[in-house]
Amino acid sequence: MAFPEPKPRGPELPQKRLKTLDCGQRAVRAVRFNVDGNYCLTCGSDKTLKLWSPLRGTLLRTYSGHGYEVLDAAGSFDNSSLCSGGGDKAVVLWDVASGQVVRKFRGHAGKVNTVQFNEEATVILSGSIDSTIRCWDCRSRRPEPIQKLDEAKDGISSVKVSDHEVLAGSVDGRVRRYDLRMGHLFSDYVGSPITCTCFSRDGQCTLVSSLDSTLRLLDKDTGELLGEYTGHKNQEYKLDCCLSERDTHVVSCSEDGKVFFWDLVEGALALALPVGPSVVQSLAYHPTEPCLLTAMGGSIQCWREETYKAEDGTG
């Protein structure tokens, strides 16, 4: 008689605080993992960008060159380059190892809310309060963008990139998906100003957060509403949302000092994680492990699952 297979354990949520790092950048506007999750970037209101090893709690490098606060950043697939955007309307390409500015792209008429590399890190896409997304060629010396997407009627709050798609959220209440292979634009109307958009890890769905304190899961191809997630507070700030590393949970910042986790399929609240007394400004979820970074005030917090044991014996 064969014994039944043991049931696979359910996903564990990162709810044990491992570290709090004071970033020394005044307010941390955004926190972002690099491609493999070993490092993270913090964007400061003091005009700097910093690279950290978050589990060790060590600062690796500081990048200075923006003229105003840094609002978003991203790392390239090979960890050799960074891009960032900020209140000075500039998009900056950095060399990770030297800390030097490689290129500074100017053209946006307002602050740059969001930046992303394409998969090959040959193009930076930037979204601005000026209602445009601009595509900048990292290898060219030309000062103007290679493409400008200007369909939005209000500021761009969020841009994400897959191998052939650009997903954009706007304050005009629409989430737009540009299929670059087919040359098509798909648009879904949410109604409330959009603060963050992202693809699910399997690429089938899009998650959209908006200022009516609601997250919506949409079928990427049909725009069908698959789920709504509420309970958090998001009425005035641009806050991050994402899916957990295995697409099992929807995760969002909140203005009441918590991070909320919902079961993706059931829609039920699984965890309201208390981070601190003020707004959780930003979050980043590890690409493969139950590890979460949060940003509040001038510091970031690193969270792991309850059963996590650090390799050096701490935790």
Side-chain angles (χ1 to χ4, degrees):
M1 174 177 123
F3 286 102
E5 290 286 317
K7 274 177 76 171
R9 278 191 325 174
E12 290 190 273
L13 298 179
Q15 52 189 308
K16 178 163 79 168
R17 189 190 303 236
L18 282 195
K19 283 236 172 11
T20 297
L21 305 179
D22 180 0
C23 298
Q25 296 171 283
R26 301 217 291 270
V28 177
R29 295 299 182 207
V31 60
R32 304 285 179 248
F33 271 116
N34 75 322
V35 64
D36 55 21
N38 290 330
Y39 307 104
C40 75
L41 296 161
T42 54
C43 304
S45 66
D46 71 342
K47 314 178 195 175
T48 67
L49 181 63
K50 291 188 177 184
L51 179 69
W52 305 83
S53 173
L55 283 175
R56 286 208 206 92
T58 49
L59 173 64
L60 303 173
R61 195 173 276 284
T62 300
Y63 301 85
S64 301
H66 272 285
Y68 205 65
E69 61 182 358
V70 187
L71 296 174
D72 195 19
S76 63
F77 73 97
D78 60 359
N79 290 323
S80 69
S81 302
L82 306 174
C83 64
S84 59
D88 57 1
K89 311 178 194 174
V91 176
V92 181
L93 173 66
W94 307 85
D95 178 67
V96 168
S98 70
Q100 297 300 304
V101 173
V102 179
R103 293 288 311 279
K104 198 175 267 197
F105 301 101
R106 297 190 182 279
H108 279 297
K111 68 179 183 178
V112 177
N113 283 325
T114 176
V115 291
Q116 289 272 290
F117 280 111
N118 68 339
E119 283 210 326
E120 299 83 29
T122 53
V123 174
I124 300 168
L125 292 93
S126 56
S128 166
I129 197 173
D130 71 6
S131 309
T132 69
I133 299 165
R134 296 177 195 228
C135 308
W136 310 93
D137 186 343
C138 297
R139 299 169 297 183
S140 159
R141 305 306 301 176
R142 289 172 51 208
E144 62 275 355
I146 49 176
Q147 193 169 6
K148 185 166 109 176
L149 307 173
D150 56 6
E151 286 75 15
K153 306 289 186 284
D154 208 332
I156 303 291
S157 56
S158 179
V159 171
K160 297 293 191 307
V161 184
S162 75
D163 61 346
H164 67 284
E165 297 165 307
V166 176
L167 185 69
S170 170
V171 179
D172 69 9
R174 286 192 177 273
V175 56
R176 294 173 175 85
R177 181 170 59 90
Y178 298 85
D179 187 318
L180 304 178
R181 277 186 199 151
M182 308 292 289
H184 291 166
L185 167 61
F186 303 90
S187 176
D188 292 302
Y189 186 61
V190 168
S192 178
I194 290 168
T195 60
C196 186
T197 56
C198 59
F199 292 106
S200 58
R201 311 248 173 195
D202 67 6
Q204 303 296 305
C205 305
T206 56
L207 182 65
V208 183
S209 69
S210 49
L211 289 181
D212 55 358
S213 298
T214 305
L215 287 95
R216 293 170 176 88
L217 187 70
L218 307 177
D219 182 287
K220 189 183 79 175
D221 293 325
T222 68
E224 180 191 353
L225 181 65
L226 302 176
E228 286 193 322
Y229 310 89
T230 57
H232 67 302
K233 185 180 177 203
N234 186 12
Q235 295 167 336
E236 50 181 316
Y237 292 96
K238 175 179 133 41
L239 301 184
D240 292 330
C241 66
C242 67
L243 290 154
S244 61
E245 85 282 7
R246 287 171 18 200
D247 276 345
T248 57
H249 288 80
V250 169
V251 189
S252 176
C253 295
S254 181
E255 290 164 11
D256 62 5
K258 301 185 183 83
V259 170
F260 283 71
F261 295 79
W262 296 266
D263 183 287
L264 178 126
V265 177
E266 305 283 328
L269 183 64
L271 173 66
L273 179 69
V275 177
S278 56
V279 176
V280 184
Q281 282 284 359
S282 180
L283 59 76
Y285 214 99
H286 193 284
T288 56
E289 295 174 22
C291 177
L292 173 74
L293 300 176
T294 52
M296 179 178 287
S299 59
I300 62 169
Q301 302 78 32
C302 182
W303 308 82
R304 291 293 309 226
E305 70 276 24
E306 286 288 5
T307 55
Y308 176 77
K309 288 279 184 285
E311 284 162 24
D312 60 3
T314 61

